[in-house]
DNA sequence: TATGAATGAGAATTCATTCAT
DNA sequence: CATGAATGAATTCTCATTCAT
């Protein structure tokens, strides 16, 4: 098999590979994975169609890289909050901070999130990556809470549920689709719900 | 515009159209919209490829019909709960009932929900249909609650948020993907959160 | 998997499938397998590129059908000679007849023989088909000779060797490439050699 | 025509050119000409893809060089036999020697022979080279035989036919594909046939 | 209405060759 | 001379849609 996938070492090449990933990111976000073809990605990245296959095994391989980037972007800002945490925990502030961080992440990445997440049911690797992301976040948060002395029943369930709820809110909030919803009021509802969840 | 899309009158034709929709439903659910082709749908429905275009303008038209069916399936069972509601409202029971109904709906339709919902960002009509579904449910529930004397602040926001939360839970619960989660415990968390949300 | 390979029943479809095989036959013979593309085959057959994949799994599948046809064409005329064989055997006549039949087959099929045979070393199925052809011919001839009372030592080896020799001659003769060779004289040499081979 | 194909003067360059030819030789033999790409050849030779075009006009040019090497390898061992030939000629020994030399050549080069020979019908230069090889061998052998006093009718035809027969045998023998053939017995048949051919 | 063969535009991928460094 | 990244035309194959019957 003569298939040689370049692992670029030089700056220019790294740039080029990143440009392709970036192009994939933007086009998948805008049009979806299935509505984007490799020629478009190449053109958007300012490279030839051929070189795409110098850096990636196939179109799906680009997807996987885009996914990795997204996962980092989604994971880091929220987890950073737990690095600088005071004891005793102030849940109200903590929750508000996580909500705001999540909304911020969503503002920049909602479209790609949709595009990627829509593949979870038909692409096992993509599905697993999302599961892993959720698991990593849950586990990390549980650990952080425990270290700060919070240690109640059903902690994994609570954290996971909280995350889901915040995700849902962030999604709604960013798309701002329902004219009958005041997202600031909803935000208050989310905080109230989560406070009660953890105050137990 | 000489194109004639049949609106079937005879029983046999209605069957045939429904069989095509049903086939689309199953295949979209199993493989996703983009991984299903019209030949497969026709074969699965036991009809010829050509006749598909006698009943539907194009492949996407099948999608739209499938979507309608799904929306009904998702809407009805939950809304039925509000038809037989006692006053004064017992929120704990109500919430539990909605959760169970939603989980039940999801058990049967999670796959198609994924398949359809994944198109929301790239297909405006699909997106709007989902918005409409959410709006209809929210509005109906708000109305029912009001009629039963429940009338607090931010009701739309609360109801919408509650629905989102239940949806999330139902999804998690049905797929049962995280081995570190006990979904019965999570269910208790959901109920607690929502009780606190509405007890305010 | 939605791959449906038509097995044509109707006359028109059979014609079409045969036209594609025929086109493959001619183009492979003229330009070789690797220098022929599916678009050319389709055009030569007077069909669209798409329908080629309605009748054949892929380009190689056409090759395999062409091969089958060739094998029949190569096998039948020579084997027919053994259907009408007098006892006692007149080897001189028999050999001459086989030579002539083989040359005749080669006249019409030398190019496709080359094209197909050139794939034996890189395509196992093709290689096996040629082996099978040689084996079938050898076994059939040995059987026929035995039935007519010829039963000497090393019969399989002799028959196989005779066939190879005749093949070589037919090839040379048809291409007529060497100006220093008189193929009629060479034919006499072949007959003499084979007579001595079997007279032992 | 400003294109400059280097004729390497320095030792290192000659090595490099030879390494490329050697790589072509091995890969063409293993996978065939069309299943080998220039990147593979370069990699196998331990050079860059670009430099290949410093030494060769194009991929086919490598093929031609490989062909030249093969022709030498095929020509020399057999021709050497005629350098040390006793008078009067002992045909039985001579034939046996040629058979053994040819089998030996084939043992080492059967694969590349197949790969190259398969191109004869579509590449005129390759075809001509093979013709030339056959002609050179025939002419040389005829000359040698004549010098040793053997001078019969149809000598070119006989020699050519003998060579073909031996080639066929060597091919069969090396690949050893037919389980119903004893190649030692077949070898005896070949010798017998050729003795009778020349004893006339 | 119904069939399923046929179309052809479009997608993914390969690879001989060139070129900037 | 040498490198290996880059090009883009060419190729295989798919599939929504049409059409002859």
């Amino acid at each position: 098999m003569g298939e040689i996938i370049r692992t670029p070492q030089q700056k220019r090449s790294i740039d080029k590979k990143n440009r392709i990933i970036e192009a994939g990111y933007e086009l998948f976000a805008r049009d979806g994975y299935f509505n984007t073809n490799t020629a478009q990605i190449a053109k958007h990245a300012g490279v030839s169609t051929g070189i795409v296959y110098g850096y990636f095994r196939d179109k799906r391989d680009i997807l996987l890289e885009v996914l990795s980037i997204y996962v980092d972007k989604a994971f880091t800002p929220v987890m950073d909050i737990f690095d600088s945490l005071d004891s005793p925990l102030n849940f109200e502030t903590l929750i508000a901070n996580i909500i705001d961080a999540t909304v911020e992440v969503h503002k920049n990445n909602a479209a790609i999130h949709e595009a990627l997440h829509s593949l979870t049911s038909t692409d096992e690797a993509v599905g697993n990556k999302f599961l892993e992301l959720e698991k990593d976040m849950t586990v990390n948060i549980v650990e952080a809470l425990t270290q700060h002395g919070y240690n109640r029943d059903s902690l994994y369930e609570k954290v996971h549920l909280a995350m889901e709820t915040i995700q849902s809110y962030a999604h709604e909030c960013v798309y701002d689709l329902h004219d009958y919803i005041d997202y600031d009021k909803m935000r208050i509802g989310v905080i109230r719900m989560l406070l009660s969840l953890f105050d137990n």
Side-chain angles (χ1 to χ4, degrees), chain A residues 36-192:
Chain A
T36 301
N37 64 45
T38 50
Q40 290 170 326
I41 295 174
K43 191 174 183 183
H44 199 83
V47 300
S48 67
T49 57
I51 198 60
V52 170
Y53 291 85
Y55 292 114
F56 303 91
R57 192 177 315 282
D58 52 23
K59 184 183 159 188
R60 185 169 164 277
D61 199 22
I62 304 175
L63 173 76
L64 263 18
E65 294 261 27
V66 168
L67 179 56
S68 274
I69 304 249
Y70 167 73
V71 164
D72 278 353
K73 287 194 184 175
F75 185 78
T76 311
V78 174
M79 295 332 277
D80 281 355
I81 292 169
F82 290 88
D83 289 345
S84 52
L85 215 54
D86 304 320
S87 297
L89 292 170
N90 178 342
F91 265 94
E92 185 150 3
T93 309
L94 177 57
I95 290 168
N97 286 344
I98 295 174
I99 289 175
D100 294 342
T102 305
V103 168
E104 189 63 23
V105 166
H106 240 70
K107 263 185 193 150
N108 302 315
N109 305 290
I112 194 70
H113 172 93
E114 291 286 283
L116 296 171
H117 199 262
S118 76
L119 298 166
T120 46
S121 41
T122 45
D123 188 313
E124 209 183 333
V126 175
N128 287 339
K129 192 88 183 180
F130 271 97
L131 285 183
E132 202 189 318
L133 172 61
E134 289 182 310
K135 179 170 188 172
D136 286 351
M137 293 187 81
T138 302
V139 168
N140 277 25
I141 293 174
V142 165
E143 202 171 302
L145 292 178
T146 310
Q147 278 175 2
H148 284 79
Y150 183 90
N151 201 341
R152 303 277 178 93
D153 237 23
S154 312
L155 197 45
Y156 283 96
E157 285 78 7
K158 285 175 178 166
V159 168
H160 197 93
L161 185 53
M163 271 175 20
E164 292 280 337
T165 306
I166 293 173
Q167 290 285 339
S168 290
Y169 169 70
H171 181 88
E172 289 286 316
C173 179
V174 165
Y175 280 103
D176 188 16
L177 294 163
H178 299 284
D179 48 15
Y180 56 89
I181 299 287
D182 177 328
Y183 290 99
D184 287 330
K185 286 188 183 163
M186 193 188 259
R187 183 173 179 277
I188 293 168
V190 172
I191 294 176
R192 183 167 301 152

